[in-house]
Amino acid sequence: MLPPAGPLLSLLLVTGTCGTELSPWVPPQGCYVAEEAGERTFRCSQAGLSTLPTGIPNDTRKLYLDANRLASVPAGAFQHLPILEELDLSHNVLAHLSGAAFRGLAGTLRRLDLSANRLASVPAEAFVGLQVQVNLSANPWRCDCALQEVLRQVRLTPGPGTGIVCGPGARPDLVGQEFLPLAGEEELCGAGRAGAQRSTDVALLVTMGGWLALVVAYLAHYVWQNREEPRRPLKRAPVLPGRSEDSSTLSTVV
């Protein structure tokens, strides 16, 4: 004899509900949530991560992902963290940074550490709108126009020379040199925005110099000519042949 349908259905519903019950979120191994100076902090230092962890609480203010194996930061990687103030990505193997890597953090992010990675270049648009202090030291920078444009947009972490040294991908004469002094003396953007302005200024100076040289040459020639004029000997007017008095008398007598 089959049991009544009502109790059996209730049992199945209870079993199904228990089976789909959500388990609490557990941070990746080596990561933990903490309160530091009253601010929610998520630490994943030396956790062996090769990808960004998921499930980071959206009230996190400080995020430490340093000393891992992260190779890239994709677009919008942190846009779900609306109050993030400090982000540490140092001592990874970052070689690529999306132009939209920090999208959504323009109003909050204050400190960003990208030191000790493998960055040769970063897109300038990645920092547009950010009011952030950045540590870019200990990377093999290419020391080109792209880096010069980045340095026009960010504030660097204070330090001796800031540690921005040109790596093997830079021009041979720049390899091993501190980039900031070079960036202040040389325009690396060629025919770009700043380079075009500089080229225009140089062309204008050359043109003005040419006109000035012509004016000086004309004045010098004019003064020289006026000084030489009184020294020239006066030319005597040619004497036309005329009849002498004797010839006139002789002609009359004849």
Side-chain angles (χ1 to χ4, degrees):
M1 182 177 178
L2 295 175
L8 181 59
L9 182 59
S10 300
L11 179 62
L12 290 174
L13 289 174
V14 171
T15 305
T17 303
C18 293
T20 58
E21 192 174 296
L22 296 176
S23 58
W25 173 75
V26 178
Q29 186 176 1
C31 303
Y32 62 91
V33 179
E35 291 284 337
E36 297 183 4
E39 296 183 336
R40 178 63 66 92
T41 302
F42 190 81
R43 284 191 175 272
C44 276
S45 303
Q46 297 181 328
L49 299 176
S50 57
T51 59
L52 294 174
T54 59
I56 301 173
N58 58 12
D59 60 346
T60 299
R61 289 188 179 273
K62 296 181 179 180
L63 177 57
Y64 294 91
L65 300 171
D66 53 302
N68 285 288
R69 299 194 300 270
L70 302 176
S72 64
V73 179
F78 309 103
Q79 63 183 357
H80 63 290
L81 305 175
I83 59 173
L84 187 65
E85 296 179 355
E86 184 172 338
L87 176 58
D88 190 347
L89 291 165
S90 66
H91 295 88
N92 278 280
V93 290
L94 291 177
H96 174 71
L97 198 66
S98 168
F102 309 115
R103 184 173 57 203
L105 303 179
T108 61
L109 194 62
R110 295 292 176 265
R111 289 179 294 277
L112 174 62
D113 195 342
L114 294 170
S115 64
N117 278 286
R118 299 179 182 176
L119 294 169
S121 183
V122 292
E125 57 268 24
F127 303 97
V128 172
L130 295 181
Q131 303 298 318
V132 64
Q133 188 177 78
V134 186
N135 187 347
L136 298 175
S137 63
N139 281 284
W141 295 110
R142 195 173 295 126
C143 293
D144 54 5
C145 172
L147 182 58
Q148 198 169 45
E149 288 294 324
V150 166
L151 295 180
R152 291 190 176 109
Q153 299 185 42
V154 301
R155 292 181 298 113
L156 296 175
T157 301
T162 73
I164 301 179
V165 178
C166 301
R171 276 175 14 202
D173 59 316
L174 301 182
V175 175
Q177 298 193 45
E178 287 276 355
F179 182 65
L180 279 184
L182 299 172
E185 297 174 359
E186 184 175 358
E187 177 56 59
L188 300 174
C189 290
R193 180 168 48 106
Q197 181 62 42
R198 183 174 181 181
S199 298
T200 302
D201 294 341
V202 170
L204 182 60
L205 287 175
V206 170
T207 302
M208 292 178 63
W211 280 106
L212 182 61
L214 287 175
V215 171
V216 170
Y218 174 79
L219 290 175
H221 176 73
Y222 179 80
V223 171
W224 176 82
Q225 190 175 28
N226 284 338
R227 285 182 178 179
E228 290 293 324
E229 189 67 28
R231 299 179 185 177
R232 294 178 182 174
L234 295 176
K235 293 182 180 180
R236 299 180 62 182
V239 179
L240 296 175
R243 292 178 300 177
S244 64
E245 186 176 348
D246 294 341
S247 299
S248 300
T249 305
L250 179 59
S251 177
T252 304
V253 170
V254 173

